[in-house]
């Protein structure tokens, strides 16, 4: 830990998910990737899981985190500038 409130997340408002009242991982940091991947590896090795369900994937993939968005199925919604 580096003493800040955003070692693994974005700092300031960008690091807060208002819908879930939680922090948002900064996926560009090596420490975050290593932390998340090591957790997946542990579950696979410890319990023999062969698949994972990731709730909130919209929050991981889109800059808006899906807040205030309604997706109707058009490709422009999924592959636009928000992705």
């Amino acid at each position: 830990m580096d003493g800040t409130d955003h070692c693994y997340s974005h700092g300031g408002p960008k690091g807060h998910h208002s819908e879930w009242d939680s922090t948002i991982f900064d996926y560009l940091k090596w420490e975050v990737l290593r932390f998340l991947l090591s957790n997946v590896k542990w579950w696979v090795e410890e319990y023999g899981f062969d698949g994972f369900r990731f709730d909130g994937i919209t929050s991981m993939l889109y800059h808006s985190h899906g807040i205030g968005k309604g997706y109707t199925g058009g490709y422009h919604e999924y592959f636009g500038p928000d992705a």
Side-chain angles (χ1 to χ4, degrees):
M1 300 298 284
D2 63 0
T4 65
D5 64 346
H6 56 274
C7 180
Y8 292 104
S9 63
H10 293 283
K14 184 178 181 180
H16 181 74
H17 196 297
S18 60
E19 298 290 315
W20 299 345
D21 192 28
S22 63
T23 58
I24 299 171
F25 283 119
D26 184 350
Y27 299 109
L28 296 178
K29 292 182 177 180
W30 278 106
E31 296 84 3
V32 172
L33 296 176
R34 290 176 61 98
F35 169 74
L36 295 173
L37 290 173
S38 69
N39 276 274
V40 169
K41 181 182 178 205
W42 182 84
W43 282 95
V44 169
E45 290 178 347
E46 187 71 22
Y47 295 106
F49 280 94
D50 61 357
F52 285 87
R53 176 182 169 189
F54 292 97
D55 289 330
I57 196 73
T58 303
S59 181
M60 295 180 190
L61 294 178
Y62 299 103
H63 294 287
S64 67
H65 307 292
I67 298 172
K69 292 254 183 182
Y71 296 98
T72 61
Y75 283 116
H76 69 283
E77 296 171 329
Y78 298 104
F79 299 106
D82 190 36

